[in-house]
Coordinates of all heavy atoms in Angstrom, one line a residue:
V143 N 119.8 51.4 -67.4 CA 120.0 52.9 -67.2 C 119.9 53.5 -68.6 O 119.3 54.6 -68.8 CB 121.4 53.2 -66.6 CG1 121.6 54.7 -66.6 CG2 121.4 52.7 -65.2
W144 N 120.5 52.9 -69.6 CA 120.5 53.5 -71.0 C 119.0 53.6 -71.5 O 118.6 54.7 -72.1 CB 121.3 52.6 -72.0 CG 121.3 53.0 -73.4 CD1 120.5 52.6 -74.4 CD2 122.1 54.1 -73.9 NE1 120.9 53.2 -75.5 CE2 121.8 54.2 -75.4 CE3 123.1 54.9 -73.4 CZ2 122.4 55.1 -76.1 CZ3 123.7 55.8 -74.2 CH2 123.3 55.9 -75.5
Q145 N 118.2 52.6 -71.3 CA 116.8 52.7 -71.8 C 116.0 53.6 -70.9 O 115.2 54.4 -71.5 CB 116.2 51.3 -71.6 CG 116.8 50.3 -72.6 CD 116.1 49.0 -72.6 OE1 114.8 49.0 -72.7 NE2 116.7 47.8 -72.6
L146 N 116.3 53.8 -69.7 CA 115.5 54.7 -68.8 C 115.8 56.2 -69.2 O 114.9 56.9 -69.2 CB 115.8 54.4 -67.4 CG 115.3 53.1 -66.8 CD1 115.8 52.9 -65.3 CD2 113.8 53.1 -66.8
I147 N 117.0 56.4 -69.5 CA 117.4 57.8 -69.8 C 117.0 58.2 -71.3 O 116.4 59.3 -71.5 CB 118.9 58.0 -69.7 CG1 119.4 57.8 -68.2 CG2 119.4 59.3 -70.2 CD1 120.8 57.9 -68.0
N148 N 117.0 57.2 -72.2 CA 116.7 57.5 -73.6 C 115.2 57.4 -73.9 O 114.8 57.9 -74.9 CB 117.5 56.5 -74.5 CG 118.9 57.0 -74.6 OD1 119.3 57.8 -75.4 ND2 119.8 56.4 -73.7
G149 N 114.5 56.7 -73.0 CA 113.0 56.7 -73.2 C 112.6 55.7 -74.2 O 113.2 54.6 -74.5
Q150 N 111.4 56.0 -74.8 CA 110.7 55.1 -75.8 C 111.5 54.6 -77.0 O 111.3 53.5 -77.4 CB 109.4 55.6 -76.2 CG 108.5 54.7 -77.0 CD 107.2 55.3 -77.3 OE1 106.9 56.5 -77.1 NE2 106.3 54.6 -78.1
N151 N 112.4 55.4 -77.4 CA 113.1 55.1 -78.7 C 114.0 53.8 -78.6 O 114.2 53.1 -79.4 CB 114.0 56.2 -79.1 CG 113.2 57.5 -79.6 OD1 112.1 57.3 -80.0 ND2 113.7 58.6 -79.4
M152 N 114.5 53.6 -77.3 CA 115.4 52.5 -77.1 C 114.6 51.2 -77.1 O 115.2 50.1 -77.2 CB 116.2 52.7 -75.8 CG 117.2 53.7 -75.9 SD 118.3 53.5 -77.3 CE 119.0 51.8 -77.0
L153 N 113.3 51.2 -76.9 CA 112.5 50.0 -76.9 C 112.1 49.5 -78.3 O 111.8 48.4 -78.5 CB 111.2 50.2 -76.1 CG 111.3 50.6 -74.6 CD1 110.0 50.9 -74.0 CD2 111.9 49.3 -73.9
E154 N 112.3 50.4 -79.2 CA 112.0 50.2 -80.7 C 113.2 49.9 -81.5 O 113.2 49.4 -82.6 CB 111.1 51.3 -81.2 CG 109.8 51.6 -80.5 CD 109.2 52.8 -81.0 OE1 109.8 53.5 -81.8 OE2 108.0 53.0 -80.6
T155 N 114.4 50.4 -81.0 CA 115.7 50.3 -81.9 C 116.7 49.6 -81.2 O 117.0 49.8 -80.0 CB 116.1 51.8 -82.2 OG1 115.0 52.5 -82.8 CG2 117.3 51.7 -83.2
S156 N 117.4 48.7 -81.8 CA 118.5 48.0 -81.3 C 119.7 48.2 -82.1 O 119.8 47.9 -83.3 CB 118.2 46.5 -81.3 OG 119.3 45.8 -80.7
I157 N 120.9 48.7 -81.4 CA 122.0 49.1 -82.1 C 123.1 48.3 -81.5 O 123.3 48.2 -80.3 CB 122.4 50.6 -81.9 CG1 121.2 51.4 -82.5 CG2 123.7 51.0 -82.7 CD1 121.3 52.9 -82.3
D158 N 124.0 47.7 -82.4 CA 125.0 46.8 -81.9 C 126.2 47.6 -81.3 O 126.9 47.2 -80.4 CB 125.5 45.7 -82.9 CG 124.3 44.9 -83.3 OD1 123.5 44.6 -82.4 OD2 124.2 44.4 -84.4
S159 N 126.6 48.6 -82.0 CA 127.9 49.3 -81.7 C 127.7 50.3 -80.6 O 126.8 51.1 -80.6 CB 128.3 50.1 -83.0 OG 129.6 50.8 -82.6
E160 N 128.5 50.1 -79.5 CA 128.4 51.0 -78.4 C 128.8 52.4 -78.8 O 128.4 53.4 -78.2 CB 129.2 50.5 -77.2 CG 128.7 49.2 -76.6 CD 129.4 48.9 -75.4 OE1 130.4 49.6 -75.0 OE2 129.1 47.8 -74.8
D161 N 129.7 52.5 -79.7 CA 130.3 53.8 -80.1 C 129.2 54.7 -80.7 O 129.2 56.0 -80.7 CB 131.4 53.8 -81.0 CG 132.6 53.1 -80.5 OD1 132.7 53.2 -79.2 OD2 133.4 52.5 -81.2
E162 N 128.2 54.0 -81.3 CA 127.1 54.8 -82.0 C 125.9 55.1 -81.1 O 125.1 56.0 -81.3 CB 126.5 54.1 -83.2 CG 127.5 53.8 -84.2 CD 126.9 52.8 -85.4 OE1 125.7 52.5 -85.2 OE2 127.6 52.6 -86.4
M163 N 126.0 54.5 -79.9 CA 124.8 54.7 -79.0 C 125.2 55.8 -78.1 O 125.6 55.7 -77.0 CB 124.6 53.4 -78.2 CG 124.3 52.2 -79.0 SD 124.0 50.7 -78.1 CE 122.3 51.0 -77.5
V164 N 124.8 57.1 -78.5 CA 125.1 58.3 -77.8 C 123.9 59.0 -77.7 O 123.1 59.2 -78.6 CB 126.2 59.1 -78.6 CG1 126.5 60.3 -77.8 CG2 127.4 58.3 -78.7
V165 N 123.6 59.5 -76.5 CA 122.4 60.4 -76.2 C 122.7 61.8 -76.9 O 123.8 62.3 -76.7 CB 122.2 60.5 -74.7 CG1 120.8 61.3 -74.4 CG2 122.1 59.2 -74.1
Q166 N 121.7 62.3 -77.6 CA 121.9 63.5 -78.3 C 122.0 64.7 -77.3 O 122.7 65.7 -77.6 CB 120.7 63.7 -79.2 CG 120.5 62.6 -80.3 CD 121.7 62.6 -81.2 OE1 122.4 63.7 -81.5 NE2 122.2 61.5 -81.7
K167 N 121.4 64.6 -76.2 CA 121.3 65.8 -75.3 C 122.6 65.9 -74.6 O 123.2 67.0 -74.5 CB 120.1 65.7 -74.4 CG 118.7 65.8 -75.2 CD 117.6 65.9 -74.2 CE 116.3 66.0 -74.9 NZ 115.1 65.9 -74.0
N168 N 123.0 64.9 -73.9 CA 124.1 65.0 -72.9 C 125.3 64.1 -73.5 O 126.3 64.0 -72.7 CB 123.7 64.6 -71.6 CG 123.1 63.2 -71.5 OD1 123.2 62.5 -72.4 ND2 122.6 62.8 -70.4
K169 N 125.3 63.4 -74.6 CA 126.4 62.7 -75.1 C 126.9 61.7 -74.2 O 128.0 61.4 -74.1 CB 127.6 63.7 -75.5 CG 127.2 64.8 -76.4 CD 126.7 64.3 -77.7 CE 126.5 65.4 -78.8 NZ 126.0 64.9 -80.0
L170 N 126.0 61.0 -73.5 CA 126.3 60.0 -72.5 C 126.5 58.7 -73.3 O 125.5 58.2 -73.9 CB 125.2 59.8 -71.4 CG 125.5 58.9 -70.3 CD1 126.7 59.3 -69.5 CD2 124.3 58.7 -69.5
K171 N 127.6 58.1 -73.2 CA 127.8 56.8 -73.9 C 127.2 55.7 -73.0 O 127.0 55.8 -71.7 CB 129.3 56.5 -74.1 CG 130.0 57.5 -75.1 CD 131.4 57.2 -75.3 CE 132.0 58.1 -76.3 NZ 133.4 57.8 -76.6
K172 N 127.1 54.6 -73.6 CA 126.4 53.4 -72.9 C 127.3 52.9 -71.7 O 126.8 52.6 -70.7 CB 126.1 52.3 -73.9 CG 125.3 51.1 -73.2 CD 124.9 50.1 -74.2 CE 124.1 49.0 -73.6 NZ 123.8 48.0 -74.5
C173 N 128.6 52.9 -72.1 CA 129.5 52.5 -71.0 C 129.6 53.4 -69.8 O 130.1 53.1 -68.7 CB 130.9 52.3 -71.6 SG 131.7 53.8 -72.3
Q174 N 129.1 54.6 -69.9 CA 129.0 55.6 -68.9 C 127.7 55.5 -68.0 O 127.5 56.3 -67.1 CB 129.2 57.0 -69.3 CG 130.5 57.2 -70.0 CD 130.7 58.5 -70.7 OE1 129.6 59.1 -71.2 NE2 131.8 59.1 -70.8
C175 N 126.7 54.5 -68.5 CA 125.5 54.5 -67.8 C 125.6 53.7 -66.5 O 125.8 52.5 -66.6 CB 124.6 53.8 -68.8 SG 124.0 54.7 -70.1
T176 N 125.6 54.4 -65.4 CA 125.7 53.8 -64.1 C 124.5 54.3 -63.2 O 123.7 55.2 -63.7 CB 127.0 54.2 -63.4 OG1 127.1 55.6 -63.2 CG2 128.2 53.9 -64.2
M177 N 124.3 53.7 -62.1 CA 123.2 54.1 -61.2 C 123.5 55.6 -60.7 O 122.5 56.3 -60.5 CB 123.1 53.2 -60.0 CG 122.5 51.8 -60.4 SD 120.8 52.0 -61.0 CE 120.6 50.3 -61.5
R178 N 124.7 56.0 -60.6 CA 125.0 57.4 -60.1 C 124.5 58.3 -61.3 O 123.9 59.4 -60.9 CB 126.5 57.6 -59.9 CG 126.9 58.9 -59.4 CD 128.4 58.9 -59.1 NE 128.7 58.0 -58.0 CZ 129.9 57.8 -57.6 NH1 131.0 58.4 -58.1 NH2 130.1 57.0 -56.4
E179 N 124.8 58.0 -62.5 CA 124.3 58.9 -63.6 C 122.8 58.9 -63.7 O 122.2 60.0 -64.0 CB 125.0 58.4 -64.9 CG 126.4 58.6 -65.0 CD 126.9 60.1 -65.1 OE1 125.9 60.9 -65.5 OE2 128.0 60.4 -64.8

Side-chain angles (χ1 to χ4, degrees):
V143 175
W144 179 260
Q145 292 186 48
L146 291 174
I147 293 179
N148 284 273
Q150 185 178 1
N151 292 333
M152 288 308 302
L153 296 173
E154 301 174 351
T155 307
S156 177
I157 304 176
D158 295 331
S159 176
E160 291 187 0
D161 295 335
E162 295 176 0
M163 302 181 72
V164 179
V165 183
Q166 297 298 325
K167 293 183 178 179
N168 54 10
K169 303 298 182 181
L170 184 65
K171 294 183 179 180
K172 187 177 181 183
C173 61
Q174 298 172 327
C175 291
T176 61
M177 287 297 173
R178 181 176 298 176
E179 290 292 337

